[in-house]
Amino acid sequence: MKIAYLGPEDSYSHLAAETFLQSEEKGAAGERDECVPFRNFSEVFRAVQTGRADAAAVPIENSLQGGVLQNLDLLQASDGLYAVRESFLKIDHRLIYRKGVPFSDIGRVYSHRQALGQCSQFLMEKMPFASLKDTESTAFGVARAAEDFSGRSAAIAGAHISFLPEGFVISEECISDEKNNFTQFLLLKKGQENLPAASARIFFSAVCPHRPGSLLELLQIIASHGVNMSKIESRPVKDRPGDYRFFIEAETDVGSGAFDAFFREMEEKTLECKLLGAYSRV
């Protein structure tokens, strides 16, 4: 089993991939079970599409900043990829900086945009004039900070980080604006046959007709089948100004007859409806 993730090692995606790998069936004899890093999320999705990896671990929602929009769009655009498991990771952001350097002397902070946003209050209070540098992952941010020998560069990464660059230290406390911070990760596989026989939740997208009350009608379908909607996120439909696609997670069993009736009505009464996954928590 090979699970693709946004690398390098020590990113939160790596931690999620390791968690999923432990719960997956082991590969055939002689096959190596491993987590394989890729440089950006587009490459992570492509790895599963092309067979370079058997699955992918991707963040889909953060409890502070909501949906990871890039990954919602990539999942929607992917042909035949489905979320088959979910895992929630507690996010514990720490500042990685050169030992002995006062916070006030730090002029650049590198990290993924999600981490920078989740630590905005700390950054404004402790280093209000520092430039915030977006990197492809938190682990890449640490590597960039280590390239600056002046001591004026720092990074934000997880408390689980296993390697610190020479001369760098990690803050003793979490620097997130909200300490009770979680990210939902999904394990993606190619092929509908990989969907579980039973699930706690399903994930799908739907586009409503562009007229008054159409979203209400969609919500009424969900309610009429006794299905509890656990989240909803909207994204513009590309090349169709004014139209929106809704990403919806609902608590229902994909293996039940009740799901069949519910989803059939959703398909009949929306312009587009696509099943994106069915899963239970690891």
Side-chain angles (χ1 to χ4, degrees):
M1 167 67 71
K2 293 183 179 180
I3 299 181
Y5 69 92
L6 177 65
E9 291 186 7
D10 283 336
S11 65
Y12 281 107
S13 290
H14 181 214
L15 187 59
E18 292 281 4
T19 301
F20 284 127
L21 188 62
Q22 293 171 14
S23 67
E24 286 292 295
E25 293 184 6
K26 300 304 180 185
E31 181 182 334
R32 183 179 179 184
D33 296 307
E34 61 180 329
C35 299
V36 184
F38 290 86
R39 190 170 181 87
N40 55 58
F41 284 125
S42 294
E43 291 183 5
V44 169
F45 277 77
R46 193 177 302 114
V48 186
Q49 290 275 29
T50 59
R52 293 177 64 192
D54 303 297
V58 298
I60 206 71
E61 184 181 72
N62 176 260
S63 58
L64 296 184
Q65 295 196 315
V68 182
L69 303 182
Q70 179 186 8
N71 287 342
L72 288 174
D73 291 343
L74 285 168
L75 182 56
Q76 175 64 35
S78 298
D79 183 24
L81 289 192
Y82 295 93
V84 299
R85 286 182 185 268
E86 70 170 342
S87 178
F88 282 80
L89 288 186
K90 184 173 178 58
I91 304 301
D92 185 355
H93 291 311
R94 303 295 178 97
L95 188 72
I96 313 297
Y97 61 103
R98 201 167 282 277
K99 185 176 181 180
V101 175
F103 289 167
S104 57
D105 288 353
I106 294 174
R108 289 170 295 277
V109 181
Y110 294 93
S111 196
H112 189 273
R113 66 177 67 91
Q114 289 271 336
L116 294 171
Q118 291 163 22
C119 301
S120 59
Q121 184 175 339
F122 173 88
L123 295 171
M124 288 178 62
E125 291 178 355
K126 301 297 184 181
M127 48 198 79
F129 303 109
S131 298
L132 306 184
K133 304 294 187 180
D134 182 14
T135 57
E136 292 169 316
S137 72
T138 54
F140 272 124
V142 175
R144 290 297 307 277
E147 295 170 356
D148 182 1
F149 293 97
S150 72
R152 287 180 51 79
S153 292
I156 296 173
H160 62 276
I161 188 170
S162 61
F163 171 78
L164 286 176
E166 184 177 356
F168 279 72
V169 293
I170 185 170
S171 62
E172 295 183 0
E173 297 181 354
C174 175
I175 65 170
S176 296
D177 298 344
E178 171 58 56
K179 309 308 180 193
N180 195 29
N181 181 9
F182 291 85
T183 292
Q184 178 192 25
F185 283 83
L186 297 179
L187 182 69
L188 308 180
K189 291 185 178 180
K190 186 176 182 180
Q192 196 165 0
E193 68 276 6
N194 286 306
L195 287 170
S199 67
R201 281 167 293 284
I202 64 165
F203 192 40
F204 66 97
S205 65
V207 178
C208 302
H210 190 50
R211 54 177 169 76
S214 61
L215 176 58
L216 175 60
E217 292 172 6
L218 183 151
L219 299 179
Q220 286 174 333
I221 294 171
I222 295 173
S224 68
H225 285 269
V227 173
N228 182 47
M229 184 176 66
S230 47
K231 69 181 177 187
I232 183 170
E233 184 100 23
S234 66
R235 294 286 291 145
V237 177
K238 293 180 180 178
D239 302 323
R240 284 158 53 185
D243 282 351
Y244 285 83
R245 177 174 285 109
F246 296 93
F247 292 88
I248 299 171
E249 184 186 74
E251 296 175 354
T252 188
D253 181 359
V254 72
S256 68
F259 163 77
D260 293 336
F262 159 70
F263 206 71
R264 185 165 54 249
E265 185 172 359
M266 291 293 302
E267 290 177 318
E268 291 172 353
K269 296 184 178 179
T270 58
L271 296 178
E272 299 176 26
C273 189
K274 181 181 181 182
L275 182 65
L276 301 173
Y279 42 78
S280 300
R281 190 171 302 181
V282 171

